[in-house]
Amino acid sequence: MGARLLPPLAAFLFLGQAIAFAPFFPAQAQTSPAYVALGDSLAYGVGATDPAAQGYVPLTAAALRESDRYGDRGLDVVNLSAPGATSTDLVAAGGQLERALQVIGDRRGANGPGVAIISLDIGGNDLLALASRDSPCFSDAAGDACRQQLGQMLSNLQKDLSRTLRELRQAAPEAAVYVLDLYNPYSGTGDPREVIADIGVQQVNGVIAAAAADPQLNVRTARVYELFQGHGRQWIAADGIHPNDSGHAVIAEVLLAAIEGRPVAIPDQLLGPPAGEAQPSADGSGDDSTLLLAIAVPLSFLAGALVTGAYFLARGRS
């Protein structure tokens, strides 16, 4: 009888020891690579009916999980984006860059496949900050104080974005890194702000291109600007700024095409206006910050000079 009890008793004692020492066992290695997204309200999914499912980040991840590359092993998504984020917020202590570096380090330490894809959109809120009521551009768009603030904004954006891309590349040398440019939400709407906004957006896009031009970073740009031209009525949400479901789907397709190294293919159903959705008004009314994008007109030559200089500086590193 006693001999019969020995095997069960030994198993029980072993199980007890395993439970007691379980916290000291190393964590199980990650089995799926990760997609880390950084950015502002666009990456967060604002404007989509369901940001967690219809934003461009989850749409991109869902499509990748069905691809040959990730279909078997899966793809984890770590979305660090925050609505309202500027490039300064990106690099601030405890900000998205610091958290992304932590995620990269943790996943490398888990002896898993690590971070495979990183995407970033930033710059829209940097531009809109110039139009806030406490900005000198609010009262005098052509004044010296406004010119100085614009130049400082573009310079800071260039510095912060370059730092972010450089540190991400150093931490994740094998990851594919993508930066998205900005679109003009008024394009094709007939809104009087359309041309004005286009100038401002192109200045920021010039800085984005300059930061991504450093050949040492091996960063690719997912260009949404050209595709959105003329489609403000179809792809912009009722708030007049953020993408609607169709707009997020278009951005996801642009990012997917960049990741997969193929031409962009917009489905026909995304080319028509969304049924029953309000569009931005064409009377120039609306949020003060968007109206004041007019600061871009008198300052466009200054901005263009700054952007051109930044671009050739970046190219000169090659």
Side-chain angles (χ1 to χ4, degrees):
M1 185 73 175
R4 294 178 184 176
L5 288 175
L6 285 178
L9 180 60
F12 177 79
L13 291 175
F14 176 79
L15 179 62
Q17 289 179 333
I19 294 174
F21 289 96
F24 300 98
F25 289 167
Q28 185 177 5
Q30 301 283 347
T31 58
S32 298
Y35 163 27
V36 177
L38 299 87
D40 50 30
S41 55
L42 301 186
Y44 194 82
V46 174
T49 304
D50 180 2
Q54 299 302 121
Y56 82 78
V57 170
L59 287 176
T60 301
L64 288 171
R65 290 190 185 106
E66 296 179 358
S67 67
D68 293 339
R69 185 184 306 180
Y70 299 103
D72 292 334
R73 52 182 178 159
L75 183 68
D76 298 333
V77 177
V78 183
N79 193 341
L80 302 175
S81 63
T86 65
S87 65
T88 301
D89 299 324
L90 200 66
V91 300
Q96 294 180 49
L97 173 58
E98 183 176 312
R99 292 160 60 200
L101 297 177
Q102 183 66 50
V103 170
I104 293 169
D106 289 346
R107 295 187 71 91
R108 184 190 302 114
N111 297 319
V115 173
I117 298 171
I118 301 172
S119 71
L120 167 64
D121 73 73
I122 204 72
N125 293 308
D126 297 73
L127 179 61
L128 288 175
L130 296 179
S132 64
R133 292 184 178 275
D134 59 352
S135 167
C137 300
F138 188 89
S139 57
D140 185 6
D144 290 341
C146 183
R147 292 173 186 268
Q148 183 176 5
Q149 186 168 344
L150 172 66
Q152 190 62 52
M153 182 275 287
L154 292 173
S155 176
N156 288 343
L157 177 61
Q158 163 80 18
K159 178 185 65 177
D160 295 338
L161 184 54
S162 295
R163 173 188 166 184
T164 298
L165 296 176
R166 182 175 63 253
E167 294 192 22
L168 289 173
R169 174 53 68 212
Q170 291 172 350
E174 303 301 322
V177 182
Y178 302 89
V179 180
L180 290 82
D181 65 3
L182 303 186
Y183 58 83
N184 176 5
Y186 302 113
S187 183
T189 65
D191 191 294
R193 294 165 285 189
E194 181 175 344
V195 175
I196 294 169
D198 210 59
I199 295 173
V201 167
Q202 288 193 62
Q203 304 312 317
V204 173
N205 283 347
V207 169
I208 293 172
D214 187 342
Q216 297 179 4
L217 299 179
N218 190 24
V219 173
R220 305 171 201 174
T221 304
R223 304 183 187 279
V224 301
Y225 170 80
E226 291 293 342
L227 274 175
F228 266 74
Q229 289 297 89
H231 290 284
R233 292 190 181 277
Q234 292 97 334
W235 298 341
I236 300 300
D239 65 8
I241 292 292
H242 297 98
N244 55 22
D245 288 347
S246 295
H248 276 285
V250 170
I251 297 174
E253 165 57 20
V254 173
L255 182 54
L256 278 168
I259 293 172
E260 297 173 352
R262 58 170 176 79
V264 175
I266 305 299
D268 290 341
Q269 62 266 29
L270 296 182
L271 297 176
E277 182 163 304
Q279 299 301 323
S281 63
D283 61 0
S285 61
D287 189 271
D288 286 339
S289 63
T290 58
L291 178 62
L292 288 171
L293 280 171
I295 61 173
V297 171
L299 302 176
S300 60
F301 289 105
L302 169 64
L306 290 169
V307 168
T308 301
Y311 176 80
F312 282 108
L313 177 61
R315 295 299 298 174
R317 297 192 186 103
S318 57

